[in-house]
Amino acid sequence: MPFTRRHALGTLAALPLMPRLARAQADFPTRPVRLLVGFAPGGLTDIAARALAERMGKILKGSVVVENRPGGQTIIATAAVARAEPDGYVLGFVGTNGMILNPLLYNDLPYRRSDFKQLGSMGKSPMLLIVHPALGVKNVQEFIALAKKKPGDITCAHAGRGVINHLALLHFQSKTGTQFQDVPYKGSGPALLDLMAGTVQSTFDFPTSALPNIRSGKLQVLAVTADQRLSSLPDVPTMKEAGVEGFELYTRMMISGPAAMPAAVAATLENAVREGARDPALVRQFAEQGVTVAFTSSTDLDRVIAEESALWAGVIRANNVPKTDLKG
């Protein structure tokens, strides 16, 4: 195609915009950055997002404001990030549910992983295998032996079908050759209340939810799904130590933005996540709650997402967990 006078004029007209765009990126941010959270205020994800947002704001010399958009297994908040202007002013504090599990569990999801630029991970939290003390087991092997003796009799609560602790139960059954009677709840809170009351006998849940009642003796923890013991529960073995290999399971605390963000803006934001996650006070605060605060770069996080997506896809496939239609 010949280079015409019209092309020349178009090129010249665009030239004044280029320095302005470069300057805007260099000055980023010039207004508050919004960090969307797919859960209601008060839970682990919200608390972690607010703690990180405060530190990111100091590094960026601006404000990072948490905005809660609960509902739909984090789909509402995650989709809003995917649809946002790719200028770096709308980010998501996206966990394993939004970025890894939802694409495996739902048809017609209003976003794809390719819609996002990962900006790093603040940290990760394993789950605990928890039982009611009256069950009378002292360790994981006794728990497995009892389950094999009474297949389908021992109840295991979870926060809803397809939620991460339900998938952890399915994975545990496959790994150990056991069968439990799964009892779905609308969230971990009601499940833990019924576990403490003895209505159900076991569950997988996160340390932040269960630690106070474990320490009071109302609940008994048998193992942690981490690759090493937690400083907050030093006497609790890992699943590997307890005899169950290949059972390292986490929920990730990932920060994401729209895929088309300028590289300079993405680099600025990733640096803020990195430096915020290095704050010793933040590390101590969450270590006490069983959460490992350790920065994972965007490059490494892409690899982690691919690996954990493959792991959970295998669990879902092996247990014939159906995909849910969002439309229709």
Side-chain angles (χ1 to χ4, degrees):
M1 181 184 291
F3 189 77
T4 65
R5 181 172 179 274
R6 180 178 295 175
H7 289 118
L9 290 173
T11 302
L12 290 170
L15 286 175
L17 293 175
M18 294 171 68
R20 288 208 298 270
L21 287 170
R23 187 166 59 250
Q25 292 174 26
D27 293 341
F28 178 87
T30 58
R31 63 180 191 270
V33 174
R34 295 155 59 207
L35 184 59
L36 307 190
V37 174
F39 295 95
L44 168 63
T45 304
D46 174 70
I47 293 168
R50 291 178 189 279
L52 182 64
E54 179 185 352
R55 288 156 175 85
M56 286 180 65
K58 291 176 182 177
I59 294 156
L60 294 169
K61 296 181 173 57
S63 297
V64 179
V65 181
V66 171
E67 185 176 311
N68 298 91
R69 294 203 186 175
Q73 298 292 358
T74 77
I75 292 171
I76 294 171
T78 309
V81 176
R83 292 193 298 264
E85 285 293 321
D87 53 12
Y89 287 98
V90 177
L91 309 176
F93 196 86
V94 184
T96 295
N97 270 36
M99 199 58 61
I100 296 176
L101 296 183
N102 285 347
L104 300 173
L105 292 168
Y106 294 98
N107 294 312
D108 309 311
L109 199 65
Y111 61 84
R112 296 172 295 177
R113 290 194 196 101
S114 59
D115 293 334
F116 302 93
K117 164 63 179 169
Q118 301 303 327
L119 300 170
S121 170
M122 167 186 164
K124 59 187 180 182
S125 176
M127 286 175 277
L128 304 173
L129 172 55
I130 308 165
V131 299
H132 190 278
L135 190 60
V137 295
K138 298 185 181 68
N139 54 54
V140 172
Q141 292 305 317
E142 289 186 7
F143 182 62
I144 293 171
L146 184 62
K148 287 183 175 179
K149 185 179 178 181
K150 301 179 177 181
D153 282 358
I154 298 174
T155 51
C156 190
H158 57 78
R161 301 197 188 282
V163 176
I164 191 168
N165 60 353
H166 175 230
L167 298 178
L169 166 62
L170 297 179
H171 194 36
F172 186 77
Q173 291 179 153
S174 298
K175 283 280 186 181
T176 60
T178 53
Q179 183 65 46
F180 295 83
Q181 182 187 153
D182 75 288
V183 184
Y185 285 81
K186 292 182 178 178
S188 291
L192 282 177
L193 285 174
D194 269 8
L195 180 58
M196 284 187 286
T199 306
V200 289
Q201 295 163 300
S202 63
T203 193
F204 284 90
D205 209 340
F206 296 103
T208 44
S209 305
L211 270 173
N213 294 304
I214 290 168
R215 288 169 175 157
S216 70
K218 294 177 182 177
L219 296 174
Q220 179 184 352
V221 59
L222 300 182
V224 58
T225 69
D227 58 359
Q228 59 185 5
R229 296 190 182 200
L230 301 179
S231 59
S232 53
L233 290 169
D235 297 328
V236 175
T238 65
M239 278 289 190
K240 183 175 181 179
E241 290 174 328
V244 183
E245 295 277 349
F247 206 85
E248 288 77 40
L249 305 176
Y250 302 94
T251 186
R252 304 273 173 179
M253 299 176 179
M254 300 176 263
I255 297 82
S256 310
M261 283 187 300
V265 170
T268 297
L269 289 166
E270 180 163 352
N271 180 66
V273 176
R274 178 190 298 109
E275 295 305 314
R278 286 178 176 169
D279 185 334
L282 186 73
V283 175
R284 286 194 302 272
Q285 174 188 349
F286 285 93
E288 293 169 0
Q289 302 177 56
V291 177
T292 301
V293 173
F295 176 74
T296 302
S297 71
S298 57
T299 302
D300 288 341
L301 187 55
D302 286 334
R303 174 182 52 78
V304 168
I305 291 172
E307 291 173 352
E308 295 193 355
S309 294
L311 182 153
W312 288 118
V315 171
I316 290 166
R317 187 168 53 249
N319 289 276
N320 299 311
V321 178
K323 270 196 166 186
T324 299
D325 290 324
L326 290 177
K327 296 179 181 178

